[in-house]
Amino acid sequence: MTDQDNQQRRIGRPEAPVDPDAGPVAAFAASLRALRDQAGSPTYRSLAHRSGVSSSALSEAARGRRLPTWPTVEAFVRACGQDPGPWRERWQRVADDVGAPSAARSAEHQPPIAEEDARPVPS
């Protein structure tokens, strides 16, 4: 195997391009990809190892087809060595733009626990 073959094996399959002008979700995904590039372009497998989130979820977050959940974004950003704080507001703006539930709103809309469900289960 040549050095070029080894390099191609390490790189893996190239990602499909994301058009940041295709909407807020695509623009957000493009910014996640830029963050990953700034971190040295680690593989999604490496990011998964660092974050505890699956490589497929991290890859999907940067694909730009749908808005990832906040916990996925937070893990992605931390795995790239950055503070997720500034990303929270960016993610929330996109969630508001596309009508996705925010983390806070989804917690508010959880149905109350029925009294019979709240009782301890006998052992």
Side-chain angles (χ1 to χ4, degrees), residues 48-121:
H49 181 72
R50 293 178 201 172
S51 69
V53 173
S54 74
S55 59
S56 60
L58 297 169
S59 173
E60 183 66 29
R63 194 167 287 143
R65 292 185 184 150
R66 65 177 177 231
L67 184 66
T69 64
W70 168 245
T72 299
V73 173
E74 182 180 28
F76 191 110
V77 172
R78 283 188 195 280
C80 289
Q82 296 295 313
D83 175 14
W87 286 81
R88 178 62 190 238
E89 187 177 321
R90 293 170 75 179
W91 176 85
Q92 188 61 61
R93 279 195 310 265
V94 175
D96 291 344
D97 284 350
V98 299
S102 73
R105 279 185 276 163
S106 22
E108 291 171 6
H109 294 298
Q110 294 294 336
I113 298 174
E115 192 173 312
E116 60 272 9
D117 292 339
R119 284 186 245 147
V121 177

